[in-house]
Amino acid sequence: MEEKLRMAFRHVQLSSKRFPLRKQRGDATVKSTGIVRRVDELGRIVLPIEMRRTLNIGEKDSLEIYVDGDSIILRKYQAACVFCESTKKIFNFRGKNICPDCIAKLKEL
């Protein structure tokens, strides 16, 4: 019984800090915030301002949505080259993102 209380108290202590509880999920470490939000009638949720500031997510930023088992993962969208996945100096050509290095390699073909 005392061990259960100690573990519960530890959980309360850890969850009061910024993004403290960590769980290993696949290749990534998932941090628990202790924040619970309801989905509204249009299927929307609100991301807390502290989280948006910490993750540098601004108004009108795009987020990618992934599903991992029974979890939904949101990641700030960053355009990347379709060939090498570089995120530097990306150009959009006919709906595809391509970096300058890959453009140069394609010209050589």
Side-chain angles (χ1 to χ4, degrees), residues 21-65:
L21 298 179
R22 296 169 185 238
K23 295 179 184 176
Q24 195 67 27
R25 186 164 183 89
D27 294 337
T29 300
V30 179
K31 300 175 188 177
S32 175
T33 64
I35 299 169
V36 176
R37 295 294 169 121
R38 292 194 184 272
V39 177
D40 73 6
E41 52 278 348
L42 296 176
R44 299 175 296 198
I45 60 168
V46 176
L47 299 176
I49 189 72
E50 179 182 328
M51 187 179 295
R52 293 191 316 250
R53 286 180 182 151
T54 301
L55 299 173
N56 196 25
I57 298 172
E59 290 181 19
K60 307 290 183 183
D61 282 352
S62 296
L63 299 176
E64 290 182 280
I65 303 170

